[in-house]
Amino acid sequence: QVQLVESGGGLVQAGGSLRLSCAASGGTFSLYVMAWFRQAPGKEREFVALVSRSGGFTNYVDSVKGRFTISRDNAANMVYLQMNSLKPEDTAVYYCAARSIATSRYAYDYDHWGQGTQVTVSS
């Protein structure tokens, strides 16, 4: 089973940037579709972004298009989420997730999850 550990969260002002990292171990990283989800207090877990096994395909929720960029480094077993132009509504715990089949925007399709990293955007 692959293990995932997120890092890079923190507190930023609206309009600022953060880069989240997810380190994978215990599996063949290049065989996993990777995604980021987020969950704000009192809200359901929301899809944010995904990247295909090779890194050649990405997909984003509409609310972050043009602001967030997902990428991966298979040699380093890492996936990243670059977040620019952050808004207060981006405040949430961000989770890294992995699945071994096809790309999906649904949390229930993902097999492995990290523990999350807090992102707080102040206005």
Side-chain angles (χ1 to χ4, degrees):
Q1 299 289 332
V2 64
Q3 291 81 46
L4 306 173
V5 179
E6 303 94 338
S7 62
L11 173 64
V12 297
Q13 293 271 27
S17 297
L18 280 174
R19 180 178 169 89
L20 305 183
S21 298
C22 175
S25 62
T28 304
F29 181 71
S30 62
L31 297 181
Y32 288 93
V33 173
M34 301 298 298
W36 289 94
F37 290 79
R38 65 188 181 186
Q39 189 164 25
K43 299 184 68 176
E44 296 181 353
R45 189 163 297 189
E46 176 191 29
F47 167 77
V48 177
L50 64 82
V51 59
S52 62
R53 295 169 180 84
S54 67
F57 173 80
T58 59
N59 189 256
Y60 302 88
V61 68
D62 287 347
S63 61
V64 309
K65 287 180 179 177
R67 300 189 297 120
F68 291 10
T69 302
I70 188 171
S71 62
R72 67 191 297 160
D73 183 346
N74 285 347
N77 290 355
M78 296 288 291
V79 62
Y80 306 97
L81 185 68
Q82 178 66 47
M83 305 185 294
N84 298 327
S85 301
L86 283 162
K87 304 174 181 179
E89 52 262 45
D90 295 319
T91 295
V93 176
Y94 282 71
Y95 297 91
C96 180
R99 74 185 304 250
S100 59
I101 309 176
T103 56
S104 173
R105 294 166 61 103
Y106 299 99
Y108 55 74
D109 280 333
Y110 284 79
D111 306 300
H112 310 286
W113 294 84
Q115 293 299 304
T117 186
Q118 177 70 49
V119 172
T120 302
V121 184
S122 62
S123 60

